Amino acid sequence: MIGQAGLVSAARRKAGGYSLGMRQRLGIAAALLGDPPVIILDEPFNGMDPEGIIWMRGFLRSLAAQGRAVLVSSHLMSELQDTADHLVVIGRGTVIADTSVADLIAAASSGRVMLRTAARPEAMAVLGRAGASVAATGRDTLTVAGLAPGRIVALLGESAVPFAEVSAHRATLEEAYMELTRDAVEFRAAATEGPGELSSQAGNKETAR
């Protein structure tokens, strides 16, 4: 188990001197000593360096491929998106969603198109007149709802509005999660506007298996 966890070179060192990432690996090695069919991990990516995160993703998937049930509780949705097959989202003690990663992202992505253009005001005006809902999401990007990609291309072409890219929007797991838990936030900080200030929200938990 020490070898599988990548700790052979540190096997003779006192565990008290291990970094947080190394202690995560040691804990996983200990959990696997009994060859369990079900493994439950809480924030396993916490303290991991980039190499450790990549290792953890592959290791969790290899455990699942062996036929084990691997349940991971985490707030790091970017890691769950690359690792999990199925999600359970809980807000204030209530199950908000119990679905696959693919289905949740598809639901959050539906009907939206990403448009990249240097003529953002002109594009917003043209698409708005056609009945679309348009939001600026970057210096040169717009998110469009209510029009198919082909229709957007045709409208921009007819009005001679230049654009560089039109593609179906694919939401991230984080975007899907934030939309899903918007009304289930337990602690919400007041919005701030000054430079360097942060607006935060917490209190939800996502569990993946």
Side-chain angles (χ1 to χ4, degrees):
M1 292 302 102
I2 288 290
Q4 286 190 34
L7 292 174
V8 172
S9 62
R12 297 297 177 185
R13 288 172 49 187
K14 291 185 177 180
Y18 280 8
S19 67
L20 179 56
M22 293 171 70
R23 289 200 296 272
Q24 292 280 60
R25 290 174 181 254
L26 183 62
I28 290 171
L32 292 172
L33 284 175
D35 193 24
V38 178
I39 302 165
I40 303 174
L41 303 173
D42 185 26
E43 300 289 0
F45 299 100
N46 187 31
M48 288 281 184
D49 58 19
E51 187 277 332
I53 289 173
I54 293 172
W55 169 81
M56 180 68 76
R57 289 179 196 156
F59 189 59
L60 294 180
R61 285 203 164 277
S62 71
L63 292 175
Q66 295 169 12
R68 307 175 198 266
V70 183
L71 290 91
V72 178
S73 179
S74 179
H75 286 101
L76 298 179
M77 282 153 285
S78 59
E79 298 308 327
L80 295 182
Q81 182 169 337
D82 295 330
T83 307
D85 298 313
H86 194 92
L87 298 173
V88 176
V89 182
I90 302 171
R92 293 188 178 184
T94 300
V95 175
I96 300 172
D98 184 350
T99 185
S100 69
V101 175
D103 286 348
L104 185 62
I105 290 177
S109 304
S110 61
R112 288 191 286 172
V113 176
M114 192 278 288
L115 168 64
R116 192 178 302 279
T117 174
R120 209 174 64 174
E122 294 85 349
M124 292 182 76
V126 169
L127 299 176
R129 285 195 297 270
S133 175
V134 187
T137 51
R139 188 175 60 181
D140 62 348
T141 58
L142 300 171
T143 297
V144 185
L147 290 175
R151 181 59 177 157
I152 293 172
V153 170
L155 288 168
L156 296 178
E158 291 168 3
S159 300
V161 177
F163 62 91
E165 180 183 354
V166 175
S167 59
H169 173 74
R170 184 177 186 271
T172 64
L173 182 56
E174 186 174 72
E175 290 172 335
Y177 173 81
M178 297 303 290
E179 179 66 27
L180 199 61
T181 61
R182 178 180 299 171
D183 298 324
V185 176
E186 187 173 358
F187 306 108
R188 191 189 302 274
T192 57
E193 298 179 356
E197 296 177 331
L198 296 177
S199 172
S200 65
Q201 57 183 25
N204 298 314
K205 192 75 169 181
E206 186 169 89
T207 302
R209 64 179 182 271

